[in-house]
Amino acid sequence: MSRSPAVCSGVGVVLLTAGQSRRMGRPKGLLQWAGKPLLRHQVDVLLGSSVGEIAVVLGEGVDELAPLIPDDRRVRTAWNARHAEGRSGSVIIGTLALRDCEAVMFCNVDQPLSTRLVEDFLWGAGDGPDFPIAVAAHGDRRGHPVLIRRALFSEVVSISETSEGLKAVIRKDAARVLTVPVDSPNTHLGFNTREEYENAVRRLERGELEAD
């Protein structure tokens, strides 16, 4: 089955991995997931998909995380020197790095992707090219990733932590948001604490989550 050219041909990905991970106690990108560091897992899944350029935004733990990023022409890195101030700065930096793309898909390092999740989401987003925003959903609840088309890049680069960051762009007008149903249980996956991470690993080992 071919993928929809309306979205796949020009989609870049911003992978956010600059956070301080205070509750986890170490950079989340270093955590093991499906046999490899989580940051490498995320990049490998994205490289195996139909997306274009990938911008990995680094901050806390850059010296440990940077060596995990493969040397690939589709991958670039960006540095958020003000990462301690919140996620919005990384979103802006990543968007500017991919400003020539037709759309940008935003992914967090602590929300493990799967190939099915990425491809199903891109396919569904391609069916609604008139919607400037697409959000993945599993069951009756939205999750991740989120895709924003170029028409709204100016809004994205104007966000701030005080105005709820990227959430404010998504919530501004419900009529411009396409909800994309996906089958992957990873849509709602994420962890901020060691306990949440260990629970996710157990679910992965039981086959309740997708490894790749």
Side-chain angles (χ1 to χ4, degrees):
M1 181 183 296
S2 61
R3 294 295 177 185
S4 172
V7 63
C8 292
S9 60
V11 174
V13 179
V14 173
L15 180 57
L16 302 166
T17 185
Q20 293 184 289
S21 307
R22 288 176 177 171
R23 283 182 286 176
M24 189 66 69
R26 62 184 303 205
K28 295 177 187 176
L30 298 175
L31 298 172
Q32 288 292 305
W33 188 260
K36 62 180 73 172
L38 183 52
L39 174 56
R40 183 58 185 259
H41 166 84
Q42 298 288 69
V43 175
D44 285 349
V45 168
L46 292 168
L47 285 173
S49 75
S50 51
V51 301
E53 292 185 84
I54 302 163
V56 182
V57 184
L58 297 164
E60 187 76 12
V62 60
D63 292 339
E64 297 172 280
L65 293 170
L68 301 177
I69 300 171
D71 183 13
D72 189 285
R73 61 180 180 80
R74 291 165 59 192
V75 183
R76 67 174 73 178
T77 59
W79 163 248
N80 180 7
R82 302 173 69 175
H83 57 85
E85 297 178 10
R87 180 171 173 265
S88 294
S90 294
V91 170
I92 293 169
I93 289 169
T95 302
L96 290 173
L98 300 178
R99 58 186 174 273
D100 293 331
C101 294
E102 293 299 318
V104 168
M105 185 170 73
F106 294 92
C107 302
N108 295 308
V109 74
D110 60 350
Q111 295 175 328
L113 299 167
S114 70
T115 300
R116 181 168 68 152
L117 171 56
V118 173
E119 292 299 299
D120 284 356
F121 176 62
L122 291 174
W123 175 256
D127 285 339
D130 294 332
F131 288 88
I133 302 173
V135 182
H138 183 64
D140 59 357
R141 185 161 62 97
R142 285 179 175 173
H144 61 86
V146 171
L147 179 142
I148 297 183
R149 299 182 191 275
R150 185 188 289 174
L152 297 187
F153 283 4
S154 60
E155 286 189 34
V156 174
V157 299
S158 299
I159 64 173
S160 68
E161 288 298 299
T162 56
S163 64
E164 293 192 299
L166 195 59
K167 290 181 180 179
V169 177
I170 298 169
R171 294 172 178 171
K172 183 177 181 179
D173 183 358
R176 64 185 189 178
V177 180
L178 174 68
T179 298
V180 178
V182 296
D183 289 331
S184 174
N186 291 38
T187 310
H188 298 145
L189 179 59
F191 31 77
N192 289 308
T193 66
R194 191 76 191 183
E195 182 180 9
E196 291 171 346
Y197 162 66
E198 291 173 352
N199 181 59
V201 170
R202 287 192 291 270
R203 291 181 62 200
L204 180 67
E205 291 172 346
R206 292 196 298 263
E208 298 172 8
L209 298 170
E210 295 176 340
D212 50 32

